[in-house]
Amino acid sequence: PPPTPPPPPKGKPTRRSEERLPTSEPLEVTVEDKNDTSVTITWRPPKNVPANSGLDGYTVEITKEGTDDWKAVNEDLTVSCRYVIKNQTTGDRLLIRVVAVNSGGRSAPATIADPILVKEVGARPKVRLPRFLRQRYVKKVGEKINIVIPYSGKPKPVVSWLKDGEPLDPKRANIRTSDTDSILFVRQAERADSGSYEMCVKVDDFEDKAAIIIQIIELPGPPASIKVADVWGFNVALEWTAPKDNGNTEITGYTVQKADKKTGDWFNILEHYTRLNATISDLIMGNTYTFRIFAENKCGLSEECARTKEEATIVKEVIDYKPTPFVERDFTEAPKFTTVLNDRSTTVGYSTKLLCSVRGSPKPKIMWMKNKMILNNMDNPKYRMISTGGICTLEIRKPGQYDGGEYVCRAENQLGKVDTGCKLEVKSK
């Protein structure tokens, strides 16, 4: 086992006894309840309690207002943070304090600031805050503020108002208090009326408070700046910054507009847009555009806008088009019979026709021959020669026995000539 340390010298205090110190004072001493003969108080333990001396308990002391004769009301220390001071005289005003005690001695006293009147309270004060006031109360600049907050308490409570911890400015806000409610009234709200308002209802030493937050908003200012960041193809990239004045509420979006330099008419291209940059597409080639942007909050669009100083021109693309040279087709062709003559027979006195078809370019010249003799319909009315659309017809009117024989159709142009022939037999009746 380790050696036993030597005892401390006699007559000299130990280090442990030197470090025993009292605690800090108790915290938040308040009146919980009272009647005609007693007062109930509560408090919180001290913030600092030395580890070696701890906390033995509390002493509750009282004295009447105007005297300095403090007396303990509890013979033994109480370890509870709640104590009922009994057997008091109705109508007395008491000063009350609490002291924490340990082996290091007494702590500094924690005293209730105002004297406590020993008297029955009819009904504790209570503020009945409407549900819609439990969240942020928002109004626009110029609108009327009329807030009614009911309360209760007996006897009639004393009502007071604070704004951001300071008394209300009577030039800005009017307070109208009745037996059952208190009204905060502002004829025309301004942004300076925004803030945290507190209503306090007090009966003797008891009080109740309610806090409301009022926010007065208006239209925002325009975006602080805007510029054309880039132009390519049919697109323009825009960038802008948030407004310096947001109207005392958050910016909910932006409206972006464009105008063609030719017409000057403005058109919306983005609405309720939340970012601070955008790419505008599908612009028309050859046109020059200007852009402007409005900021938007709960009140609506800003009255003014931010407008681009520079213009964005969608440049026409120069296309070097080289068409394929036109080569005229050579449609010239030597004559060619597509339908040839066929041998035929007819009867004396019955007219007949010989048919064939030909093509060629330039248009071939047509010639008919009988037995190698050229026929001419001008000299002999018996024959009628027709050539239309490449169809060649030789009509023989009322042939006789001697009109039979070998017939030939010849087509000729600069590229050549071609013949087709047939035999015609004329039978007697």
Side-chain angles (χ1 to χ4, degrees):
T4 304
K10 296 181 179 180
K12 186 176 181 180
T14 64
R15 183 177 183 85
R16 181 178 179 85
S17 63
E18 290 176 351
E19 293 180 351
R20 290 187 177 180
L21 299 173
T23 69
S24 60
E25 71 275 8
L27 303 175
E28 299 180 11
V29 182
T30 57
V31 176
E32 182 185 79
D33 195 10
K34 66 178 182 176
N35 55 35
D36 289 341
T37 60
S38 66
V39 178
T40 303
I41 63 173
T42 61
W43 63 90
R44 291 178 54 200
K47 183 177 180 180
N48 298 318
V49 177
N52 57 356
S53 54
L55 174 63
D56 296 336
Y58 303 94
T59 296
V60 180
E61 299 176 345
I62 63 172
T63 185
K64 291 185 179 180
E65 184 182 18
T67 68
D68 197 24
D69 185 16
W70 290 95
K71 294 181 180 180
V73 295
N74 55 326
E75 295 180 1
D76 300 325
L77 297 178
T78 177
V79 294
S80 173
C81 289
R82 182 178 183 273
Y83 191 82
V84 181
I85 305 172
K86 301 179 179 179
N87 303 322
Q88 301 302 310
T89 303
T90 303
D92 283 353
R93 290 185 174 272
L94 302 179
L95 294 174
I96 303 174
R97 69 185 186 185
V98 180
V99 178
V101 180
N102 65 2
S103 58
R106 290 165 53 93
S107 69
T111 307
I112 297 178
D114 299 324
I116 306 303
L117 176 64
V118 182
K119 182 181 178 182
E120 180 73 24
V121 177
R124 290 193 178 189
K126 180 66 176 178
V127 179
R128 306 185 184 280
L129 189 66
R131 184 178 299 275
F132 75 94
L133 290 176
R134 296 175 187 176
Q135 55 189 0
R136 191 179 299 269
Y137 182 76
V138 181
K139 283 287 185 179
K140 297 179 181 179
V141 170
E143 291 184 340
K144 178 174 62 177
I145 300 176
N146 189 19
I147 298 176
V148 181
I149 302 180
Y151 67 87
S152 61
K154 188 177 181 181
K156 181 181 178 181
V158 177
V159 179
S160 61
W161 283 82
L162 297 175
K163 177 180 180 291
D164 298 328
E166 301 292 334
L168 292 181
D169 182 0
K171 296 180 181 179
R172 291 295 315 144
N174 295 323
I175 302 298
R176 303 170 187 172
T177 302
S178 67
D179 293 339
T180 58
D181 55 42
S182 184
I183 301 174
L184 172 65
F185 179 78
V186 178
R187 188 174 301 277
Q188 288 185 332
E190 297 179 358
R191 286 176 62 171
D193 296 322
S194 302
S196 177
Y197 290 75
E198 183 181 76
M199 174 183 169
C200 179
V201 180
K202 187 172 183 180
V203 176
D204 293 337
D205 304 310
F206 300 94
E207 63 181 21
D208 191 20
K209 298 179 180 180
I212 58 176
I213 297 177
I214 297 178
Q215 183 178 4
I216 309 301
I217 63 176
E218 61 181 343
L219 293 176
S225 64
I226 178 177
K227 67 176 182 178
V228 175
D230 195 7
V231 180
W232 75 98
F234 300 95
N235 310 293
V236 173
L238 298 178
E239 293 179 357
W240 61 93
T241 55
K244 295 180 180 178
D245 181 10
N246 63 0
N248 201 31
T249 184
E250 63 179 353
I251 299 297
T252 57
Y254 299 90
T255 294
V256 182
Q257 297 180 342
K258 68 176 180 180
D260 186 355
K261 188 176 181 180
K262 295 178 181 178
T263 62
D265 297 330
W266 292 98
F267 297 95
N268 289 351
I269 49 179
L270 293 174
E271 294 181 307
H272 314 300
Y273 188 76
T274 57
R275 299 174 62 182
L276 295 176
N277 54 73
T279 299
I280 313 303
S281 304
D282 300 329
L283 300 176
I284 300 174
M285 181 184 295
N287 287 5
T288 299
Y289 292 92
T290 303
F291 301 91
R292 66 183 185 185
I293 301 179
F294 294 85
E296 182 179 7
N297 63 9
K298 293 180 181 178
C299 288
L301 290 177
S302 58
E303 295 180 349
E304 299 179 357
C305 63
R307 184 169 176 172
T308 55
K309 296 180 180 179
E310 62 272 25
E311 296 176 336
T313 302
I314 308 302
V315 181
K316 290 184 178 180
E317 295 183 2
V318 179
I319 300 175
D320 187 10
Y321 175 69
K322 295 181 179 180
T324 303
F326 176 74
V327 179
E328 187 174 356
R329 184 176 176 182
D330 185 7
F331 289 97
T332 58
E333 182 183 6
K336 179 181 180 181
F337 283 102
T338 56
T339 303
V340 297
L341 294 174
N342 295 317
D343 295 343
R344 296 198 62 181
S345 62
T346 186
T347 306
V348 174
Y350 290 90
S351 297
T352 186
K353 293 181 179 179
L354 303 179
L355 297 174
C356 64
S357 61
V358 67
R359 73 181 184 193
S361 180
K363 183 179 179 181
K365 181 180 178 181
I366 305 301
M367 179 186 308
W368 286 91
M369 294 179 290
K370 175 190 174 186
N371 298 329
K372 300 182 180 181
M373 300 293 294
I374 298 175
L375 299 177
N376 190 339
N377 59 355
M378 298 297 294
D379 297 338
N380 191 348
K382 180 183 284 290
Y383 301 103
R384 184 186 178 195
M385 291 170 282
I386 302 172
S387 179
T388 304
I391 306 300
C392 304
T393 305
L394 174 63
E395 182 181 356
I396 305 172
R397 298 171 180 174
K398 296 180 180 183
Q401 280 186 335
Y402 301 104
D403 290 324
E406 184 179 355
Y407 287 83
V408 174
C409 179
R410 174 174 291 175
E412 183 179 0
N413 64 9
Q414 295 92 329
L415 300 178
K417 63 181 178 179
V418 64
D419 294 342
T420 181
C422 68
K423 292 180 178 181
L424 176 63
E425 181 182 358
V426 181
K427 301 178 180 179
S428 59
K429 294 182 181 181

